[in-house]
Amino acid sequence: MNKKSLAILLRARIMPNNSSKLAVSPLPNAVHKILSKSQHPASKNGNKPPREFEHVRDSMHLAISMNKTEVMDAVLNDFSEGYFSLSYENRRRLLLVLAKEYDLNRTQVRELIKQYLGVSGEDAQSAGPGEDGVPATFYRIERNLRHALKPMYEALFERLNMHPGGLKVLSSLRADILYILAEENIASLRALDSYLKEKLSTWLSPAALELHQITWDDPASLLEKIVAYEAVHPISNLLDLKRRLGVGRRCFGYLHPAIPGEPLIFIEVALLKNVAQTIQEVLWDDPPIPECEATCALFYSISSTQPGLAGINLGRFLIKRVITLVKRDMPHVSTFATLSPIPGYTQWLLSKLASQSKLAEVEDCSQSSADRSGCTFQENLLEPEEEKALMDLSEEISAGKNGMEVMWNLLTSRNHEWSNSAKLLSVLKPPLLRLCVRYLLQEKKRGKALDSVANFHLQNGAMIERINWMADLSDKGLHQSAGIMVNYVYRLENIEEYAQSYFSTGHIHASDDIHSYVKPLKEHEVMTDQRG
């Protein structure tokens, strides 16, 4: 493959072909069949017939139960290839079998707990340090209990992790699990996911990952992955890709030896004089400045390439290592910031506007904000001057019974017509910016920021510095956040402190400029950084 082939900008993801490892009793006939298949000429080309469900299930059982290491590679390869040949419904069936039939032995766990509780505490205290008897019994039962609490499917995960290409298979397995759980909450499958996520988090520790600066000189196969997996700002053509890897730009990715040539996550950086306020100036506008004049490293896109690694925060380690690397190579860069999307803002706002308009109808509240505040569940989303400005528009542009309904009608208009009108923009700007800050600072889920990108950067130790009006004019940007973007700043001396306070108490650090948009919050809800 050469660089010219990248013009196709393939977005098909590579299908893994790997496997796993474990132990119990061998099944000679099944092993013989698998070995026969692996040696069959058909296994050396791409014309393999789809495996039947029962055959893949047998392969999975062998991968979990057998002890013969000399044939393990063939078993794991057969399971992996068979799994990827299954239909979605049969993959679902197989994963449910794995979750339910290869779980831990709860009868054995209960019996061991009974034995443990049956040991006399007085005898345990009276036995000396070097004696046999009760203390040794405790140790034996505890050892057996630890073993019994490990589900049988742990063997599959462990063996796949040790098998060439197996980590990719595990990532794909978990991607399927997450997809199923998004449709239905199955307790056994959720337990399987939790166990696999814990294993993957251990195997993908920073010590096992290689930080690689991605350049135009890298193999075309790797660059193709960057094009395919860029999730924030799609790469439009070869010129766009080359610019993102050229002067004044950096791209770093985490690679793992088990998945060669494919970054697990990558981050794109722009070297600028000041913190950018719009994505247009980063991607399309002026040519890059000389790197020696840069004082700001701006992170403008972070993309994960493996859906099966969702919830494993590789980005936290990546950002910190990139900051360290850039600071080492470019001491004159003193500001580390982001220009980030706000993917959940419009969805949250439209939901609030719709529900409040509905409540206004049901409770028959007055149009005035003073009367509305007395309603049981109704909330005043708009300031009086914002309401008046929107209602003044209603007669000539977008009819509505109140300001919230007018705003909802404008934001849901086809092709975002409001974004092309200077008059509409001037009326919508104050409430949209104010409510956006409210969304970032005050809207929480389990005590943490509701917005996923905000939560990511805040838990990594950033603070909210500034929100930017009409910063992303793409259809995606207008749809997700009414074109608004946010700058998070990483202050080197405060990263650990901010991350810890956010993690432990939910404190959100933000500049005074951010706080000027909203009413003062209680001390336990947000902490102001006076230096912002």
Side-chain angles (χ1 to χ4, degrees):
M1 181 187 297
N2 54 41
K3 293 292 195 303
K4 291 183 179 179
S5 65
L6 283 175
I8 303 174
L9 299 180
L10 296 177
R11 293 189 176 272
R13 296 175 185 256
I14 291 178
M15 189 68 79
N17 58 348
N18 298 310
S19 304
S20 144
K21 138 183 179 179
L22 211 90
V24 180
S25 59
L27 301 178
N29 292 335
V31 172
H32 177 72
K33 289 180 182 179
I34 289 173
L35 289 175
S36 298
K37 284 180 177 293
S38 67
Q39 296 165 1
H40 193 277
S43 67
K44 297 181 180 180
N45 56 50
N47 299 320
K48 301 175 185 177
R51 271 39 168 212
E52 295 293 334
F53 174 81
E54 294 302 329
H55 176 81
V56 182
R57 179 173 176 170
D58 289 344
S59 298
M60 182 177 74
H61 177 76
L62 285 173
I64 293 173
S65 62
M66 69 180 298
N67 290 306
K68 292 188 176 182
T69 56
E70 65 271 16
V71 296
M72 185 58 68
D73 283 348
V75 171
L76 293 173
N77 281 332
D78 190 76
F79 165 72
S80 299
E81 294 170 8
Y83 179 82
F84 290 117
S85 74
L86 294 175
S87 65
Y88 166 73
E89 186 54 40
N90 278 334
R91 288 191 192 188
R92 180 183 178 280
R93 286 176 61 199
L94 191 72
L95 289 171
L96 290 176
V97 168
L98 182 64
K100 295 177 180 178
E101 298 184 16
Y102 294 89
D103 199 354
L104 55 86
N105 187 333
R106 289 183 174 79
T107 300
Q108 183 183 13
V109 171
R110 284 193 295 268
E111 181 58 33
L112 288 169
I113 291 175
K114 289 180 182 178
Q115 292 178 25
Y116 193 83
L117 295 176
V119 177
S120 169
E122 294 180 0
D123 291 340
Q125 293 178 2
S126 63
E131 297 181 32
D132 295 329
V134 175
T137 301
F138 271 140
Y139 296 141
R140 176 178 57 80
I141 297 175
E142 288 164 355
R143 182 183 64 249
N144 293 338
L145 187 57
R146 283 194 297 270
H147 181 76
L149 286 171
K150 293 181 179 180
M152 287 183 284
Y153 49 65
E154 180 190 59
L156 180 64
F157 301 157
E158 294 280 357
R159 289 178 169 179
L160 277 172
N161 182 54
M162 297 297 293
H163 182 69
L167 187 63
K168 179 73 172 180
V169 178
L170 289 171
S171 175
S172 298
L173 283 174
R174 185 163 183 258
D176 287 341
I177 293 169
L178 292 173
Y179 186 86
I180 297 167
L181 289 174
E183 295 184 327
E184 50 186 327
N185 188 10
I186 304 171
S188 60
L189 198 60
R190 191 162 294 282
L192 175 71
D193 172 63
S194 178
Y195 203 88
L196 179 53
K197 178 184 176 183
E198 183 178 335
K199 287 290 183 181
L200 289 170
S201 297
T202 300
W203 295 328
L204 294 172
S205 66
L209 299 172
E210 174 194 352
L211 181 64
H212 174 70
Q213 181 177 344
I214 300 164
T215 71
W216 184 251
D217 294 326
D218 275 310
S221 58
L222 189 151
L223 300 184
E224 189 177 64
K225 304 294 191 307
I226 301 300
V227 173
Y229 291 122
E230 167 57 63
V232 184
H233 304 293
I235 298 173
S236 55
N237 51 46
L238 279 179
L239 185 62
D240 187 12
L241 174 63
K242 195 168 187 177
R243 185 176 187 224
R244 297 193 194 196
L245 302 177
V247 177
R249 300 292 181 267
R250 297 288 187 276
C251 182
F252 298 93
Y254 260 151
L255 279 72
H256 192 281
I259 311 179
E262 183 166 352
L264 304 183
I265 187 172
F266 61 91
I267 185 170
E268 296 174 67
V269 186
L271 301 173
L272 307 169
K273 285 187 177 181
N274 301 295
V275 178
Q277 299 187 51
T278 72
I279 196 60
Q280 292 82 240
E281 61 190 283
V282 175
L283 295 180
W284 305 307
D285 285 355
D286 300 329
I289 62 169
E291 292 188 358
C292 61
E293 298 180 10
T295 61
C296 170
L298 187 85
F299 309 131
Y300 64 92
S301 179
I302 304 177
S303 299
S304 175
T305 69
Q306 308 295 318
L309 301 184
I312 300 173
N313 191 355
L314 300 176
R316 174 182 61 187
F317 307 121
L318 178 60
I319 286 178
K320 291 180 180 179
R321 289 189 64 180
V322 168
I323 289 176
T324 301
L325 186 61
V326 172
K327 190 66 179 174
R328 184 196 70 189
D329 295 342
M330 307 182 72
H332 51 282
V333 173
S334 57
T335 300
F336 296 88
T338 80
L339 181 60
S340 300
I342 315 171
Y345 174 48
T346 300
Q347 181 181 4
W348 168 82
L349 178 57
L350 290 176
S351 176
K352 295 288 286 186
L353 290 171
S355 62
Q356 291 304 314
S357 293
K358 189 67 176 177
L359 283 172
E361 291 181 17
V362 172
E363 297 189 1
D364 193 26
C365 292
S366 168
Q367 295 292 328
S368 72
S369 59
D371 290 340
R372 282 203 309 268
S373 63
C375 295
T376 308
F377 298 107
Q378 194 172 359
E379 178 186 6
N380 179 25
L381 293 177
L382 299 173
E383 298 293 339
E385 61 274 15
E386 296 168 351
E387 172 101 15
K388 181 179 184 304
L390 285 164
M391 290 306 296
D392 288 344
L393 287 176
S394 64
E395 295 183 2
E396 54 182 291
I397 297 177
S398 178
K401 299 176 182 177
N402 53 50
M404 291 184 293
E405 187 172 320
V406 174
M407 178 180 280
W408 191 91
N409 289 335
L410 288 171
L411 294 179
T412 56
S413 61
R414 189 169 56 182
N415 299 324
H416 314 290
E417 285 97 344
W418 59 271
S419 64
N420 298 315
S421 166
K423 183 174 184 179
L424 293 179
L425 287 172
S426 66
V427 172
L428 287 171
K429 181 177 179 180
L432 284 177
L433 288 177
R434 180 179 57 80
L435 290 169
C436 183
V437 171
R438 168 185 159 169
Y439 171 72
L440 292 172
L441 285 182
Q442 300 177 3
E443 297 300 319
K444 303 286 187 71
K445 180 180 181 181
R446 300 192 184 102
K448 301 297 186 292
L450 179 61
D451 186 78
S452 58
V453 175
N455 183 59
F456 171 80
H457 286 294
L458 293 170
Q459 70 180 353
N460 292 343
M463 62 171 289
I464 305 175
E465 177 70 18
R466 180 177 65 197
I467 56 172
N468 304 296
W469 178 245
M470 291 291 101
D472 185 356
L473 301 180
S474 69
D475 184 71
K476 181 180 179 181
L478 292 170
H479 176 74
Q480 286 188 339
S481 59
I484 302 172
M485 299 187 78
V486 56
N487 296 124
Y488 299 97
V489 169
Y490 285 86
R491 299 185 185 278
L492 301 185
E493 68 275 16
N494 298 120
I495 287 178
E496 296 302 328
E497 174 194 345
Y498 287 2
Q500 181 57 37
S501 63
Y502 179 73
F503 176 78
S504 58
T505 64
H507 282 174
I508 294 177
H509 294 78
S511 66
D512 289 338
D513 181 61
I514 288 292
H515 283 297
S516 69
Y517 284 95
V518 295
K519 297 177 181 178
L521 300 177
K522 296 179 181 178
E523 176 65 21
H524 71 276
E525 292 178 318
V526 68
M527 180 182 296
T528 303
D529 188 333
Q530 297 299 330
R531 292 165 296 178

